[in-house]
Amino acid sequence: MSDIRTIENNTPASLSESSVNIIIDRVNETADTLYTTSKEKYERKEKLIEEAKDMSTKEKLDALDQNYDRHNQEVWQNMLIFLALIGIAAGSPTIIRNVRRLVA
């Protein structure tokens, strides 16, 4: 015969593990979506710059550099915002303090 306490102790552990796995999957999905969206936008702008007929080579290179820098900035910005939201949702006092310092 099974001991009820053993069944009760195992159930929350498996539920919390599956909840954590679901959260991790959603975090990965969201991070991938943010990066893909930013990358697609960067590639569209890159194509427009390369096809431009009214720009010199130097202007095109400068525009591509600025576009690439903006893409990197956007990736980091998305990552920081996303991590801040996760930290706030988790309610970690340390992360909340760090986000407040970052914003201030």
Side-chain angles (χ1 to χ4, degrees):
M1 213 176 208
S2 300
D3 184 50
I4 293 176
R5 288 174 293 178
T6 305
I7 294 171
E8 288 176 4
N9 289 338
N10 289 338
T11 302
S14 64
L15 286 176
S16 66
E17 286 175 13
S18 65
S19 297
V20 168
N21 288 337
I22 290 170
I23 291 170
I24 289 172
D25 289 343
R26 295 297 158 92
V27 167
N28 287 334
E29 261 179 45
T30 305
D32 288 344
T33 301
L34 287 172
Y35 180 78
T36 302
T37 303
S38 179
K39 183 71 175 169
E40 289 170 356
K41 185 169 68 171
Y42 163 73
E43 289 171 349
R44 280 192 305 265
K45 287 181 181 181
E46 181 181 17
K47 186 182 285 186
L48 286 172
I49 292 167
E50 289 173 351
E51 293 175 354
K53 303 288 185 202
D54 60 343
M55 296 174 76
S56 68
T57 302
K58 183 181 181 338
E59 289 173 332
K60 286 182 180 183
L61 291 173
D62 289 342
L64 287 171
D65 285 343
Q66 289 175 351
N67 189 34
Y68 183 74
D69 290 342
R70 179 63 186 132
H71 170 65
N72 283 335
Q73 179 184 0
E74 190 173 292
V75 168
W76 280 102
Q77 180 182 357
N78 287 341
M79 187 172 22
L80 288 173
I81 290 170
F82 188 65
L83 290 173
L85 291 174
I86 290 172
I88 290 170
S92 171
T94 304
I95 294 175
I96 292 172
R97 274 186 262 126
N98 289 335
V99 169
R100 286 182 184 164
R101 287 182 195 155
L102 183 65
V103 172

